[in-house]
Amino acid sequence: MKNGLRLITHTNKESKVTEIDVWIKAGGRYETNETWGYAHILEHMLLKGTEKYPDVFAVHSKLDRAGAYANAYTGVDQVRFVFQVAGKYTDSFLELMAEIIRRPLLDGDVFENEKKVVLEELHKTESTPDQFAARVNLNKVFQGHPLERYSLGTEESVRSATAEKIREYYKRFYAPNNAAIVVIGPDKHIAVKNIVEKYFGDWAKSDSLENNNQIPKHPQKRKFFHLNDIKQTYIFLNYYTPGADSTREQAALDLVASYLGYGFSSPLLQELRVKKGLVYNVSANNFFNADAGRFMLYTFTTKPKEVIVTFKEVVQKLKDRFSEGMLPEIKAQRVGQFLRVSADPFHEGDILGRNFILRNKLISPDDYVAEINKVTYTDIKNVIEKYLVEDNSFLTIVGPEDVAA
């Protein structure tokens, strides 16, 4: 659109439901120690009242009477607002979304109350072992890089936040040229475009947006242990990988992750659960942001030493076990896995919106499948040799005993 707002639509004439997402480039990576967590606080506040719908009851009465689903999420580099509603309400709920995004009240008294809610959420996360361990891992893997800042902030940064500071944060990041709208449902693109222009077309763009992309410096120490008096130990074996622009390498890494960790036939589940009984569950995931990524093996166990040894053995044998003849099977597995997930409008919205945040362009599910199918066995060997090696790893352990020593 003329003001820089991106509109991404997918028309499904058979659908009776419309998914409406707004994505904002904001989050921990754009924050300082003082403003850490502000994107998340603001996410809470935007659903607490607007000029037209002046309080929580007014906002949610409109949502509830339509039987709609509404939620919002803050990540390290994005904020996502989600509505799911019957298709006949597309116009009405784009209007509500415009009110929430463009005209929030950000009332001081409401803010002081909501700050207490955010602190409770922070304390809940600190009391939930898997969530706490994931936060520790992110912070240590990317220590000294903007990606180290998980979304919730710290107790100190949240307590010191004021309504005026949150209003300033809103002015910095909530602009059309820092946002994207994703609409998935029965309406044609031109119809949706006309509605979006009606409610968002006069939204003034900003000339002071931030870009802090940078290649992370890998820490000299490749291990970190955090003492936590819990029964199981949480283990994260991370490998540093490139950012979103390395499209072919990321597709190859997705295939390696699918091979290693998808289902009971995967090497990780075969070795750790079926043969040795060391874990209940285990995963292999390929994550990436605009400027950096990480390939991660993750599990929790009461036998951490044995699991760490097995993790490393499986990765060391990867090049020999993942044969060229297996590549078509793993491609079919990954595509099937991806299509099953992306059939849900919520997950399709995530795919489309995340690609705006990371790549600033449209990449459809069909585009992703095409990229997966282009991967060669040489690509697979190259990413294994280049990234999945000991000197490129970082091990995080959270539990009752330092087995990383």
Side-chain angles (χ1 to χ4, degrees), residues 247-310:
T247 309
R248 181 63 59 84
E249 287 186 321
Q250 289 298 345
L253 288 163
D254 281 353
L255 287 167
V256 175
S258 184
Y259 165 70
L260 277 178
Y262 184 71
F264 271 87
S265 66
S266 68
L268 286 173
L269 269 166
Q270 282 288 310
E271 293 294 328
L272 288 166
R273 177 167 169 166
V274 176
K275 294 180 182 179
K276 299 179 181 179
L278 294 173
V279 304
Y280 175 74
N281 201 2
V282 61
S283 65
N285 292 289
N286 180 44
F287 302 105
F288 57 90
N289 298 87
D291 48 357
R294 59 193 164 108
F295 187 98
M296 186 180 80
L297 309 186
Y298 162 71
T299 193
F300 40 92
T301 180
T302 57
K303 304 288 184 182
K305 290 182 180 180
E306 293 94 323
V307 167
I308 292 168
V309 170
T310 304

Side-chain angles (χ1 to χ4, degrees), residues 3 5 20 26 89 93 103 107 122 214 229 251 256 272 337 339 362 379 383 395:
N3 59 4
L5 178 65
I20 300 170
Y89 294 115
F93 274 70
R103 288 177 280 275
D107 178 80
L122 179 61
Q214 57 184 272
D229 188 17
V256 175
L272 288 166
Q337 178 188 7
L339 292 177
L362 172 64
D379 294 326
V383 296
L395 177 65

Side-chain angles (χ1 to χ4, degrees), residues 101-328:
I101 299 298
R102 297 188 56 195
R103 288 177 280 275
L105 292 181
L106 304 180
D107 178 80
D109 292 337
V110 175
F111 167 78
E112 290 300 327
N113 185 70
E114 197 62 26
K115 190 161 73 169
K116 293 185 287 186
V117 175
V118 171
L119 285 168
E120 289 300 321
E121 184 179 358
L122 179 61
H123 296 156
K124 171 182 171 291
T125 303
E126 291 172 344
S127 303
T128 307
D130 59 339
Q131 294 180 16
F132 176 77
R135 283 173 47 187
V136 170
N137 182 56
L138 181 68
N139 182 255
K140 296 305 175 183
V141 169
F142 289 118
Q143 190 167 14
H145 185 274
L147 291 173
E148 72 178 342
R149 298 183 189 281
Y150 48 86
S151 61
L152 295 182
T154 64
E155 181 152 353
E156 182 181 1
S157 65
V158 173
R159 288 193 182 279
S160 66
T162 65
E164 186 55 38
K165 290 178 181 178
I166 294 299
R167 293 184 193 110
E168 291 172 2
Y169 190 97
Y170 171 82
K171 291 175 183 177
R172 281 173 56 205
F173 289 98
Y174 280 69
N177 49 324
N178 200 44
I181 297 178
V182 178
V183 180
I184 302 167
D187 298 289
K188 293 182 179 180
H189 177 82
I190 188 61
V192 175
K193 183 173 182 287
N194 289 337
I195 299 169
V196 169
E197 285 186 337
K198 178 169 57 173
Y199 297 125
F200 291 89
D202 60 348
W203 191 11
K205 68 179 182 179
S206 172
D207 296 322
S208 59
L209 297 175
E210 301 179 24
N211 182 342
N212 65 352
N213 288 356
Q214 57 184 272
I215 304 300
K217 295 178 181 179
H218 300 180
Q220 291 183 339
K221 292 184 178 180
R222 292 188 291 105
K223 302 175 183 178
F224 179 79
F225 169 71
H226 182 91
L227 177 64
N228 200 351
D229 188 17
I230 50 180
K231 287 187 177 181
Q232 290 183 302
T233 297
Y234 289 79
I235 302 168
F236 304 81
L237 181 55
N238 308 272
Y239 296 89
Y240 294 97
T241 58
D245 288 341
S246 299
T247 309
R248 181 63 59 84
E249 287 186 321
Q250 289 298 345
L253 288 163
D254 281 353
L255 287 167
V256 175
S258 184
Y259 165 70
L260 277 178
Y262 184 71
F264 271 87
S265 66
S266 68
L268 286 173
L269 269 166
Q270 282 288 310
E271 293 294 328
L272 288 166
R273 177 167 169 166
V274 176
K275 294 180 182 179
K276 299 179 181 179
L278 294 173
V279 304
Y280 175 74
N281 201 2
V282 61
S283 65
N285 292 289
N286 180 44
F287 302 105
F288 57 90
N289 298 87
D291 48 357
R294 59 193 164 108
F295 187 98
M296 186 180 80
L297 309 186
Y298 162 71
T299 193
F300 40 92
T301 180
T302 57
K303 304 288 184 182
K305 290 182 180 180
E306 293 94 323
V307 167
I308 292 168
V309 170
T310 304
F311 266 179
K312 294 182 177 181
E313 287 176 348
V314 169
V315 174
Q316 287 168 0
K317 296 175 181 176
L318 183 54
K319 207 166 49 165
D320 297 327
R321 294 182 69 169
F322 193 157
S323 66
E324 186 170 8
M326 294 183 67
L327 182 56

